[in-house]
Amino acid sequence: MPELKKGEVNLGTSIMAVKFDGGVVVGADSRTSTGIYVANRVSDKLTPLHDQIYCCRSGSAADTQAITDIVRMQLQQHSTELGRSPSVKTAAALVQRICYEYKDQLMAGIICAGFDEVKNDGSVYNIPLGGACIEQPYSIGGSGSTYIYGFCDANYEPNMNAEACKDFVKRALSHAMARDGSSGGVIRLVTITKNGAVREFFSGAELPYQSYNTY
């Protein structure tokens, strides 16, 4: 198999998902890089797998797009057979299977999160490089995550409501974008509950900790 050429498109990235009572908030920056070149400054790294299940993508853009396309198709078939929405755990297991079976060929770190009709609550699963699958109350990933472990440990609180989770995700991602040269652009958030998914967009000028803001 020929090797990918040097400077392949990848997502130097900051991604995050946080569970609250009745749903989840997922968020990501928007910078896609090719080596040191920013190939896309407003890419969308929050990909729907089903109506109430989203994933945050980090790693190779091509690999993660292929994985999510396959899993979306599988979940649609599974949902039709069940007659209801699939569980978040099922979506995470399908992503994990591909990531683990092809771990030597893929570069993909994915967070699966959404509203689980079976549990009637939100769920967050982290599938890092190598294909493990870990359920967590919140998860961070991508190159920018290395800068915000301390921030998240200090500021995460169990049982936060949806608004507190959105503020937590927005501040954490903004911190990562300010420190990580491979993260940047804008922040996209999706809040997922039993009523569906609501998207939000925050431009760089609206974010704290950025060089052109003083707060």
Side-chain angles (χ1 to χ4, degrees), residues 10-15 27-33 38 40-45 142-145 147 172-188 201-205 207 210 212:
N10 61 71
L11 301 180
T13 251
S14 299
I15 56 175
D29 75 313
S30 66
R31 178 173 292 176
T32 299
S33 54
V38 177
N40 187 348
R41 62 194 178 102
V42 286
S43 58
D44 188 356
K45 303 174 187 178
S143 58
S145 67
Y147 297 92
L173 290 176
S174 187
H175 255 306
M177 290 161 61
R179 292 289 182 182
D180 178 31
S182 297
S183 300
V186 303
I187 288 179
R188 301 180 195 276
F201 172 94
F202 300 95
S203 69
L207 302 177
Q210 304 301 304
Y212 36 75

Side-chain angles (χ1 to χ4, degrees), residues 17-203:
V18 184
K19 174 185 172 182
F20 63 88
D21 186 22
V24 295
V25 175
V26 297
D29 75 313
S30 66
R31 178 173 292 176
T32 299
S33 54
T34 309
I36 61 170
Y37 176 72
V38 177
N40 187 348
R41 62 194 178 102
V42 286
S43 58
D44 188 356
K45 303 174 187 178
L46 305 178
T47 304
L49 297 177
H50 205 263
D51 295 343
Q52 293 166 300
I53 304 173
Y54 272 67
C55 73
C56 311
R57 301 180 293 111
S58 69
S60 163
D63 291 351
T64 56
Q65 285 170 3
I67 292 167
T68 54
D69 286 346
I70 293 166
V71 171
R72 188 185 304 112
M73 178 269 293
Q74 292 172 335
L75 286 177
Q76 287 172 348
Q77 294 177 339
H78 183 59
S79 176
T80 301
E81 292 172 357
L82 286 178
R84 62 166 174 80
S85 297
S87 68
V88 182
K89 186 175 183 178
T90 298
L94 291 172
V95 172
Q96 179 200 21
R97 182 179 61 82
I98 298 172
C99 290
Y100 182 76
E101 287 184 6
Y102 299 96
K103 61 185 175 185
D104 295 331
Q105 297 162 274
L106 298 175
M107 186 171 69
I110 295 175
I111 299 172
C112 282
F115 178 79
D116 207 319
E117 198 175 279
V118 176
K119 294 166 59 178
N120 196 36
D121 200 4
S123 295
V124 174
Y125 290 87
N126 186 15
I127 301 101
L129 292 171
C133 186
I134 309 144
E135 185 175 12
Q136 298 175 304
Y138 78 91
S139 183
I140 57 178
S143 58
S145 67
T146 58
Y147 297 92
I148 57 172
Y149 277 98
F151 176 88
C152 291
D153 287 344
N155 289 276
Y156 172 75
E157 295 178 9
N159 305 315
M160 289 191 292
N161 60 28
E163 289 303 317
C165 284
K166 285 196 283 188
D167 182 65
F168 174 51
V169 172
K170 183 179 170 183
R171 288 192 297 135
L173 290 176
S174 187
H175 255 306
M177 290 161 61
R179 292 289 182 182
D180 178 31
S182 297
S183 300
V186 303
I187 288 179
R188 301 180 195 276
L189 295 184
V190 181
T191 304
I192 310 166
T193 65
K194 65 180 178 181
N195 298 318
V198 178
R199 278 185 172 270
E200 292 180 79
F201 172 94
F202 300 95
S203 69

